[in-house]
Amino acid sequence: MTHVLHEQEISMLRSEVEMLMNERQSLLKVAGSAAVFVANLDSGKLPADLYEAAEMLSRCLNDVSEDTLQEALERVKAEPVESD
């Protein structure tokens, strides 16, 4: 009985890890797409009422580690933009 319960727990954990990994891949695509959007954004043409949202998105992207952001850009097949 204990062995069966142990196997069920392992199976449940594997399913949970797989679900979390799939979610991570989706979130990397979102982050990569957001990074590309911000990098190509012309703030001079941005309506004033969207500044706060764009600034929030930019701050969130800046909080992401460089390695994670690089992986996110790879997911959307984008190259990082070098700042001057």
Side-chain angles (χ1 to χ4, degrees):
M1 178 70 174
T2 304
H3 181 67
V4 171
L5 184 58
H6 183 67
E7 291 296 322
Q8 288 175 336
E9 289 173 341
I10 290 172
S11 178
M12 288 174 56
L13 284 172
R14 280 187 182 134
S15 295
E16 184 70 19
V17 168
E18 185 176 325
M19 183 185 73
L20 290 171
M21 292 302 292
N22 288 335
E23 185 70 14
R24 181 178 188 277
Q25 296 306 313
S26 294
L27 291 171
L28 285 171
K29 288 178 186 177
V30 170
S33 297
V36 170
F37 177 77
V38 168
N40 292 303
L41 186 65
D42 182 353
S43 61
K45 294 181 180 179
L46 188 66
D49 59 336
L50 295 180
Y51 281 141
E52 187 176 332
E55 194 172 299
M56 182 188 324
L57 179 57
S58 180
R59 279 193 309 268
C60 289
L61 288 168
N62 284 333
D63 289 342
V64 175
S65 75
E66 188 174 328
D67 289 340
T68 300
L69 191 54
Q70 180 63 40
E71 190 176 348
L73 290 170
E74 289 170 3
R75 289 291 176 271
V76 295
K77 297 176 178 35
E79 293 295 323
V81 176
E82 295 294 324
S83 60
D84 294 327

